[in-house]
Amino acid sequence: MRRRGADFRRPVRRRIPDALWWALCCGVVILFVYILSKGNQIESRPALAQGLCVCVCFFCFFLVGQISLAKAFVVIAKESNNLQFAWELSAQIRNSQILLSNAATRRVPLSTRESESAIRDMALLLYQAQQLHYDSATMIMRFKAKIQALEEQMNSVTEKSSKYGQIAAEEVPKSLYCLGVRLTTEWFKNLNLQNKLRDKRQVEMKLKDNNLFHFCVFSDNILATSVVVNSTSISSKNPDMIVFHLVTDEINFAAMKAWFAMNDFRGVTVEVQKFEDFIWLNASYVPVLKQLQDTETQSYYFSGNSGDGRTPIKFRNPKYLSMLNHLRFYIPEVFPALKKVVFLDDDVVVQKDLSGLFSLDLKGNVNGAVETCMETFHRYHKYLNYSHPLIHTHFDPDACGWAFGMNVFDLVEWRKKNVTGIYHYWQEKNVDRTLWKLGTLPPGLLTFYGLTEPLDPSWHVLGFGYTTVDPQLIERGAVLHFNGNSKPWLKIGIEKYKPLWEKFVDYSHPLLQQCNFH
């Protein structure tokens, strides 16, 4: 037998408001006490006094309850722009509060007349409030509407904050631009620097020696790259065994060579290349290069125009059009003679010896990385479009994400498993940007899926560019990553973390002083 559904009809509103019922009840109680005081001569005076005291205390308690309810109605009246009624309620609240305050000051209970008058006047106003539909249901609906309006305002402010933060993160500080110009000038006018670099070609054997510790950085930021190299050398037990392979672009090539030719980093070997010299780096081999040259893609990143409406500001960062950002998927081609390399982003600081990374057993995997799935938003389903059949049929949505920025790559296994080919496959499938939209991490998650060995979290600590980091993690961390918009060389950098980066910058250097670094 079918059960009858619950009746959700709203109950009929009472004709007489609750406040008026309370007033009538109080009147009855007062009348009863009055009859007792006049007609019952058997009870003693102390008992009668006690009864009156209890009654008066009850009036005080009831009056306080009325005041609390009236205060809520004042807020609703103001929200409804009924300022006259809000003023009347406020005035009656003040009168009732003064009445209670005077009674407490003179330590004499309220008289029956005072109590009746105050309760009656307040009850009339509360009744009027109910007639204006200032009941609980109305209050809840209005508060909900207010909360929704505040949420919309918050979303608008958050969007603006994200937009301006992104713009600030993309700026090139004047001091950094000055440094690049001065170094380029110095390189072309100072033959000693060029000769010094030629003299260093005697160490070319080190560049291919797989018994040494090889690091690579792809960047156009001279000072940031210098901090990576300097912090690594200072933290190393054997800096003379470290080889840094730096790749930059045509614009910054001369400046980068000049800086690393005129500065010594405790015997670290440094090689500087520009990606424009790589013959294999062409649109016929590299799918993403063909996509980056496409006018529609450039319009997508720069103007934010797309078929699904306005593209969020974070998708329009020009760095995603830079080949330096995608070069990490071609490390075996960049360094054909190397078997193992540690990839570092240019926004990291090294504070522990990293030689132990080269002896780690990756268990046949290609990529060694620190996982970031301690929080749910670092799982695969937050980066990829799982409504697409290619994604949901091949990848576990709850698989652990991991971080770019400090990665150990086994290039022997990379070549054996044709990882670059896997990357090409997914890039070609995403030509219409339906698998993922932003950056290099999503294709990295696809490319190295099932080929990544989790590392101890202390090797790579993230968050210094956008959040607060546990001090214990900072103390234990080998590589500190300023991922996020608040880079330490920008004005928007997080002040309490800037010293971690700045201690590896020699501000007394003549060129830094000339360019007003401080």
Side-chain angles (χ1 to χ4, degrees):
M1 186 174 180
R2 207 173 196 178
R3 296 182 65 182
R4 184 180 178 182
D7 190 358
F8 291 103
R9 289 176 299 174
R10 189 174 181 176
V12 179
R13 185 185 294 276
R14 295 181 181 176
R15 294 175 182 238
I16 303 177
D18 292 339
L20 194 55
W21 275 110
W22 276 107
L24 290 173
C25 291
C26 289
V28 172
V29 173
I30 293 170
L31 181 61
F32 177 74
V33 173
Y34 179 78
I35 293 172
L36 285 179
S37 65
K38 293 295 183 182
N40 193 350
Q41 301 296 329
I42 302 174
E43 286 193 56
S44 63
R45 289 184 180 273
L48 179 59
Q50 185 178 3
L52 284 170
C53 184
V54 171
C55 184
V56 171
C57 287
F58 171 77
F59 293 150
C60 294
F61 177 77
F62 185 72
L63 189 57
V64 170
Q66 282 186 321
I67 291 173
S68 298
L69 184 58
K71 286 180 177 179
F73 285 149
V74 167
V75 176
I76 301 299
K78 288 181 179 179
E79 291 288 338
S80 304
N81 206 27
N82 193 347
L83 302 182
Q84 177 62 31
F85 184 63
W87 181 85
E88 292 176 5
L89 275 173
S90 299
Q92 187 57 44
I93 290 171
R94 285 194 299 271
N95 292 338
S96 299
Q97 288 175 333
I98 291 172
L99 191 65
L100 293 172
S101 177
N102 290 339
T105 303
R106 66 175 183 257
R107 297 185 180 181
V108 176
L110 290 173
S111 67
T112 304
R113 180 176 299 176
E114 289 175 324
S115 302
E116 285 179 338
S117 177
I119 289 174
R120 183 184 63 252
D121 293 343
M122 184 67 83
L124 289 173
L125 287 174
L126 295 179
Y127 174 70
Q128 186 178 348
Q130 289 194 344
Q131 293 300 105
L132 292 169
H133 302 292
Y134 292 170
D135 54 7
S136 299
T138 305
M139 290 170 64
I140 290 171
M141 292 302 295
R142 292 191 178 185
F143 280 135
K144 281 184 177 179
K146 185 66 175 177
I147 290 171
Q148 184 177 0
L150 290 173
E151 286 178 347
E152 290 175 357
Q153 291 179 18
M154 183 188 69
N155 291 337
S156 175
V157 171
T158 301
E159 183 179 351
K160 288 180 180 178
S161 175
S162 175
K163 176 181 178 180
Y164 297 140
Q166 189 69 53
I167 292 172
E170 293 168 12
E171 74 168 353
V172 178
K174 290 181 181 179
S175 54
L176 200 56
Y177 177 78
C178 167
L179 180 63
V181 171
R182 287 183 178 274
L183 283 170
T184 302
T185 304
E186 188 69 22
W187 174 258
F188 287 109
K189 78 174 185 180
N190 191 341
L191 294 178
N192 291 331
L193 279 180
Q194 299 182 28
N195 292 332
K196 185 178 180 181
L197 196 64
R198 292 193 188 99
D199 293 340
K200 285 190 173 182
R201 288 181 180 175
Q202 61 184 340
V203 299
E204 281 188 358
M205 293 300 296
K206 282 190 172 183
L207 302 179
K208 301 177 182 180
D209 188 349
N210 283 291
N211 293 316
L212 302 179
F213 307 135
H214 293 269
F215 297 85
C216 65
V217 180
F218 307 139
S219 175
D220 58 1
N221 189 320
I222 299 165
L223 192 63
T225 305
S226 176
V227 168
V228 177
V229 176
N230 193 31
S231 62
T232 305
S233 67
I234 291 174
S235 304
S236 175
K237 297 176 183 177
N238 299 294
D240 57 316
M241 292 188 66
I242 292 177
V243 180
F244 261 97
H245 304 266
L246 310 181
V247 181
T248 188
D249 55 19
E250 181 78 44
I251 297 173
N252 295 280
F253 182 53
M256 194 81 77
K257 286 193 298 182
W259 180 260
F260 286 97
M262 67 173 58
N263 292 285
D264 180 67
F265 296 91
R266 299 183 65 218
V268 170
T269 301
V270 179
E271 175 195 31
V272 181
Q273 302 179 79
K274 62 178 186 289
F275 71 81
E276 288 86 352
D277 288 340
F278 300 148
I279 300 174
W280 51 267
L281 194 60
N282 53 69
S284 61
Y285 175 65
V286 181
V288 72
L289 192 59
K290 182 179 180 180
Q291 295 169 19
L292 294 179
Q293 294 171 352
D294 182 61
T295 55
E296 183 183 347
T297 301
Q298 293 180 5
S299 174
Y300 175 82
Y301 281 113
F302 279 109
S303 66
N305 295 325
S306 62
D308 57 355
R310 186 71 178 170
T311 305
I313 185 70
K314 67 179 181 178
F315 292 98
R316 293 159 49 200
N317 192 334
K319 77 174 185 179
Y320 300 122
L321 292 174
S322 170
M323 195 59 216
L324 288 173
N325 203 45
H326 297 270
L327 209 56
R328 64 193 67 191
F329 294 103
Y330 298 94
I331 293 178
E333 284 86 346
V334 178
F335 312 114
L338 298 184
K339 296 180 179 179
K340 182 173 285 190
V341 68
V342 171
F343 167 80
L344 295 174
D345 267 338
D346 64 0
D347 55 352
V348 306
V349 165
V350 178
Q351 61 175 15
K352 305 281 185 182
D353 181 67
L354 299 184
S355 59
L357 290 170
F358 294 87
S359 59
L360 290 176
D361 181 10
L362 298 183
K363 301 175 183 177
N365 288 306
V366 177
N367 175 30
V370 170
E371 291 184 330
T372 56
C373 57
M374 289 74 74
E375 302 174 42
T376 181
F377 62 84
H378 286 127
R379 305 226 175 229
Y380 266 52
H381 64 86
K382 290 298 181 180
Y383 297 99
L384 305 169
N385 178 19
Y386 271 85
S387 65
H388 197 289
L390 270 178
I391 298 297
H392 74 73
T393 56
H394 289 88
F395 303 97
D396 178 8
D398 292 322
C400 232
W402 44 267
F404 267 132
M406 197 293 296
N407 304 79
V408 184
F409 290 120
D410 186 331
L411 302 186
V412 175
E413 290 295 327
W414 185 314
R415 297 180 183 101
K416 186 185 300 183
K417 293 179 170 61
N418 190 24
V419 173
T420 302
I422 298 173
Y423 169 68
H424 285 170
Y425 171 82
W426 289 114
Q427 278 290 354
E428 289 169 351
K429 292 295 181 183
N430 193 49
V431 66
D432 54 357
R433 295 181 296 276
T434 56
L435 304 186
W436 73 87
K437 294 183 182 297
L438 174 67
T440 52
L441 181 56
L445 295 176
L446 299 180
T447 301
F448 295 102
Y449 184 74
L451 300 174
T452 299
E453 178 66 20
L455 303 183
D456 188 290
S458 63
W459 280 114
H460 187 190
V461 181
L462 298 102
F464 293 88
Y466 72 94
T467 188
T468 299
V469 184
D470 186 345
Q472 292 185 349
L473 292 178
I474 299 175
E475 180 66 26
R476 296 197 303 266
V479 175
L480 311 182
H481 196 168
F482 288 82
N483 58 315
N485 285 337
S486 301
K487 303 300 183 187
W489 56 84
L490 298 175
K491 291 181 179 179
I492 61 172
I494 301 175
E495 289 298 328
K496 66 179 178 179
Y497 296 137
K498 279 188 176 182
L500 295 170
W501 185 85
E502 289 176 336
K503 67 181 180 181
F504 296 106
V505 179
D506 181 12
Y507 288 105
S508 64
H509 194 286
L511 283 178
L512 297 189
Q513 291 200 343
Q514 292 171 25
C515 290
N516 200 26
F517 279 94
H518 52 78

